[in-house]
Amino acid sequence: MPKSFLWTRTDTAGAEHALVDDGRGLTARGTQVAVDPIPYTCRYQLTTDPDWVTTGLVVEAEGSGWLRSVRLERAVDRWRVTTAEQGDLDTALAAAGQPPAGLPGTDDPDRLADALDVDLGGSALFNTLPVRRLGLTGAPADTPHRIAVAWVLVPSLLVVAAEQVYTGLGPGRVRFHSDTFTAELDVDGDGYVLRYPGLAERAAPR
């Protein structure tokens, strides 16, 4: 893995470390740690094809007394979603005064059929997928691109179909919009996030 990135969370105590190889599409593995809604560790492995269309994602989230995993694999015209769970996340959430998370995965994979990208909650890496796939680092400014994504919530690992809009704003700037949320991201020349207001900032070695 020739590149190594670390982001510190700005919305909560936490961080993300990712190792990536983008020589032919993207292969990445990473780890997130955070304290909200309860302390957890989240590990992922991500692969795309040479055009940066996601082909697979494996995510494992773990905390005190529970462990969940979800695997998304692109088939010919649909996503295959498999899950596993040990322990009980909802019991851990209830003990911390948090609402239940529900089951991991999705009960209707067909709703994800149009998604070419995946998005992992709390991660700054996954914004790079549509930025690179759509060529936004060199695209004309102010041209919005509406996309469908398979959104994996953390730590529940619930998978939902979501609509997002990415708009290039010129060199090093991309606007991200989803539902009622909007953020203007600072990205480097390869499309990796430098600053995601309200979520994370990339740390540089001292």
Side-chain angles (χ1 to χ4, degrees):
M1 296 290 184
K3 296 180 181 179
S4 177
F5 301 119
L6 188 141
W7 291 272
T8 56
R9 293 281 290 267
T10 56
D11 61 335
T12 186
E16 174 183 10
H17 177 228
L19 297 167
V20 308
D21 183 344
D22 57 7
R24 184 174 172 81
L26 183 69
T27 301
R29 64 178 184 268
T31 301
Q32 298 182 64
V33 292
V35 300
D36 288 324
I38 56 176
Y40 67 86
T41 298
C42 177
R43 294 170 286 270
Y44 60 82
Q45 297 182 53
L46 169 69
T47 56
T48 77
D49 68 13
D51 296 321
W52 288 73
V53 174
T54 301
T55 57
L57 174 66
V58 180
V59 186
E60 183 179 81
E62 184 175 15
S64 178
W66 61 274
L67 172 68
R68 287 185 169 193
S69 64
V70 64
R71 177 186 296 267
L72 285 77
E73 299 171 286
R74 181 182 295 281
V76 176
D77 56 357
R78 61 174 298 183
W79 286 94
R80 182 183 300 113
V81 181
T82 55
T83 64
E85 181 173 19
Q86 300 173 30
D88 192 335
L89 170 58
D90 281 346
T91 296
L93 287 167
Q98 300 289 340
L103 298 175
T106 177
D107 58 2
D108 187 5
D110 290 339
R111 295 188 61 192
L112 309 174
D114 293 334
L116 301 180
D117 306 289
V118 293
D119 190 9
L120 181 64
S123 172
L125 174 68
F126 283 71
N127 297 97
T128 301
L129 297 175
V131 169
R132 288 291 293 268
R133 183 175 64 80
L134 298 169
L136 294 184
T137 55
D142 297 322
T143 301
H145 299 266
R146 192 175 302 273
I147 64 172
V149 304
W151 184 25
V152 182
L153 281 62
V154 178
S156 70
L157 304 190
L158 175 68
V159 182
V160 298
E163 185 177 83
Q164 299 178 349
V165 181
Y166 280 79
T167 306
L169 301 176
R173 297 280 287 178
V174 174
R175 181 184 296 119
F176 167 76
H177 176 79
S178 180
D179 196 15
T180 61
F181 177 80
T182 299
E184 294 190 0
L185 316 182
D186 295 327
V187 300
D188 65 18
D190 293 322
Y192 295 103
V193 170
L194 295 169
R195 180 174 176 269
Y196 185 141
L199 180 71
E201 293 185 1
R202 203 162 91 197
R206 295 181 179 179

